[in-house]
Amino acid sequence: MAARSKTWWGKEFLRALEECMDPGRLSRGRSYVAPYRRKSFSIRQGKITATVVGNINPYFHVYETPYYQVEIGFQRIAITHWNKILKRLGSNADWATHLVLGEVPPSIDDALEGARVRMLPRSSREIQASCSCPDWVNPCKHIAGVYYHVASLLDRDPLLLFEFRGLARSKLLKAVAQSEFGAALQSDADAADPDLAASTLTPRYPSVVSEECEADVSDLRAFWRGRPLPQGSGPDRQVPPISALLLRRAGDYPEFWHRDISFLETMAAIYERIAKRLPLDRRPSDEGRQ
């Protein structure tokens, strides 16, 4: 079942739900994941609301397309606990690094110690779900379909987990950015300090800087005409403080990426192949252009 999601937090979300409720009933929601099944969907202050399109079924005297209202909420962590948790998150370089990049640290539950609630639900008592359909058991297939859709959203935006537990994204990011490690990460990223990669961050994806590509593309005319670039034509390049920072901000599975493999891993492989290519030593002849 977890294979329906792509990232570890999406998979863990479904696995946690499977432990809280009947896995067989939860799996019925797979047929309700398609976009046409959702007439509306929203997440406001951590509460999920959706209008799900049902099926016409003359056997049950349903002759027109039915629409069912689904509401899902998760037990919220008290603000007093969140204040302590935010201080703890900002005091750990690994946690701060993941959050600055829009990721959920794998050890996030360690930061929630003392809150009596984990980031992912561990009991059905932590989930309040309702549907206007005649099936009174939770989850009905309409609720289950919304669960699967939420799991796909977590693939692209894992910080939704914090909103489900009662912490606004803006407050989370502000607190992390103002912490000692968060401020250091942000300032070093802006200054392109190469020491950051070695001191506080272990990149999840390989760096794409190649020793063979020493020339700086400062002579654009020569570059686009395929001519070899002069030695020392630009400043020395430095390894970025966070590998593929701009790409990683969009996450493993951005909205425009519809393949099952990681977008970041795919781009890293492409960049490495490009970086290993030898510089062009000649340009096409005039006859070839014609």
Side-chain angles (χ1 to χ4, degrees):
M1 182 179 303
R4 297 288 299 184
S5 194
K6 300 171 182 177
T7 59
W8 78 262
W9 40 78
K11 293 176 182 178
E12 285 299 300
F13 176 76
L14 288 178
R15 187 187 63 80
L17 292 179
E18 190 174 21
E19 293 179 354
C20 294
M21 54 195 65
D22 186 342
R25 294 186 67 87
L26 185 62
S27 65
R28 296 168 62 198
R30 293 180 178 177
S31 61
Y32 280 78
V33 177
Y36 74 88
R37 286 292 190 179
R38 294 182 301 277
K39 184 177 181 181
S40 67
F41 180 89
S42 66
I43 300 177
R44 293 187 177 91
Q45 298 181 341
K47 186 176 182 179
I48 304 165
T49 58
T51 301
V52 179
V53 181
N55 293 322
I56 296 175
N57 191 336
Y59 182 80
F60 290 102
H61 308 288
V62 180
Y63 301 102
E64 297 181 358
T65 301
Y67 298 93
Y68 302 111
Q69 305 303 314
V70 172
E71 294 186 359
I72 301 173
F74 297 87
Q75 182 177 344
R76 302 165 77 85
I77 298 176
I79 190 64
T80 54
H81 288 309
W82 271 127
N83 292 334
K84 297 177 182 178
I85 293 169
L86 289 174
K87 291 181 180 179
R88 198 175 300 145
L89 289 172
S91 66
N92 183 292
D94 180 65
W95 294 339
T97 298
H98 279 84
L99 293 171
V100 166
L101 295 174
E103 302 171 350
V104 174
S107 57
I108 185 61
D109 279 344
D110 293 340
L112 272 63
E113 183 179 359
R116 298 182 180 179
V117 174
R118 294 293 180 254
M119 185 61 69
L120 295 171
R122 293 292 183 267
S123 168
S124 59
R125 294 189 299 271
E126 298 180 34
I127 309 172
Q128 300 81 43
S130 64
C131 180
S132 61
C133 77
D135 187 354
W136 55 271
V137 180
N138 180 21
C140 66
K141 56 188 176 183
H142 313 109
I143 293 176
V146 175
Y147 283 146
Y148 274 102
H149 179 56
V150 170
S152 69
L153 294 179
L154 290 174
D155 283 335
R156 299 191 297 267
D157 186 10
L159 297 188
L160 282 172
L161 288 174
F162 289 88
E163 296 189 26
F164 293 155
R165 289 305 194 181
L167 182 66
R169 177 193 309 268
S170 58
K171 185 172 183 177
L172 167 66
L173 296 179
K174 181 179 179 181
V176 173
Q178 291 178 346
S179 67
E180 179 181 0
F181 284 111
L185 284 168
Q186 190 61 49
S187 62
D188 283 343
D190 294 339
D193 184 355
D195 293 336
L196 179 62
S199 61
T200 61
L201 177 64
T202 301
R204 291 174 53 205
Y205 302 96
S207 173
V208 296
V209 176
S210 173
E211 296 179 355
E212 298 177 3
C213 300
E214 299 178 353
D216 188 354
V217 184
S218 57
D219 187 340
L220 297 180
R221 182 176 299 177
F223 171 76
W224 288 112
R225 290 183 177 180
R227 296 174 180 172
L229 299 174
Q231 293 294 330
S233 59
D236 295 335
R237 293 188 301 170
Q238 296 177 335
V239 177
I242 301 177
S243 180
L245 175 61
L246 294 179
L247 291 178
R248 293 181 65 183
R249 283 180 174 173
D252 260 343
Y253 300 91
E255 293 187 9
F256 62 83
W257 187 253
H258 303 295
R259 303 182 65 182
D260 289 334
I261 59 176
S262 166
F263 170 70
L264 295 178
E265 291 179 351
T266 302
M267 295 305 297
I270 293 174
Y271 287 156
E272 286 180 350
R273 291 180 61 184
I274 294 174
K276 291 178 181 179
R277 295 188 62 181
L278 295 176
L280 295 174
D281 56 359
R282 63 178 181 275
R283 60 190 177 93
S285 62
D286 293 338
E287 292 79 7
R289 294 196 190 110
Q290 299 175 359

